[in-house]
Amino acid sequence: MKLFRNIRAAGVFHKAVKSMQAGDYPAVLDRLDGFQAQPYFMAKAELFRAMARHRQERFADAVHHYDNFLINHLADMPRKDRPYVEEYAKFFRSRAQARIDPSTPLYSSLEELRKHAASAPFLTRAEFSV
């Protein structure tokens, strides 16, 4: 039974990835609404929610999801993925916050984020592209 739930959750998440790649951010959020899966997929789903809100220019919601990912879900990511997704979330969180309050200092640089991306696993780079 658990195997079937995990397969179904992976399928739902894959559809959310496809929607993100297509730029259909409402579909990403619809697919992830009520999403339940193992912690790894829940972590990735929270980061996808943040990205979708950010791209919809709903910056306060994006900041909320970035924070939730960093505080509650980062530890659920595999060790090899953590440095990159942490840098990714902090980088884009600061940009979303700066859209709300322009006096917010920006975190890191795009060059630094790309350095982290270079050492991240291929799948992680593909899902969370710079």
Side-chain angles (χ1 to χ4, degrees), residues 85-105:
V85 294
E86 180 177 15
E87 185 76 8
Y88 186 95
K90 288 178 177 179
F91 178 88
F92 285 105
R93 185 217 179 275
S94 76
R95 270 77 185 157
Q97 184 63 42
R99 295 295 297 267
I100 298 167
D101 177 6
S103 68
T104 301

Side-chain angles (χ1 to χ4, degrees), residues 68-87:
N68 191 39
F69 171 78
L70 289 164
I71 294 166
N72 298 314
H73 296 286
L74 180 61
D76 295 325
M77 295 296 291
R79 285 188 197 274
K80 64 184 184 265
D81 293 345
R82 275 186 225 157
Y84 176 59
V85 294
E86 180 177 15
E87 185 76 8

Side-chain angles (χ1 to χ4, degrees), residues 6-58:
N6 288 341
I7 291 170
R8 187 174 68 226
V12 169
F13 187 78
H14 179 71
K15 289 178 183 175
V17 170
K18 291 292 189 186
S19 295
M20 181 68 79
Q21 292 169 340
D24 188 355
Y25 309 122
V28 171
L29 297 166
D30 286 345
R31 292 184 193 289
L32 297 177
D33 186 40
F35 183 69
Q36 293 296 313
Q38 62 189 16
Y40 168 66
F41 279 116
M42 293 298 290
K44 291 184 355 173
E46 189 62 13
L47 192 48
F48 262 63
R49 286 183 191 98
M51 294 163 52
R53 291 296 189 202
H54 195 149
R55 292 174 185 175
Q56 288 178 315
E57 298 185 2
R58 295 187 57 185

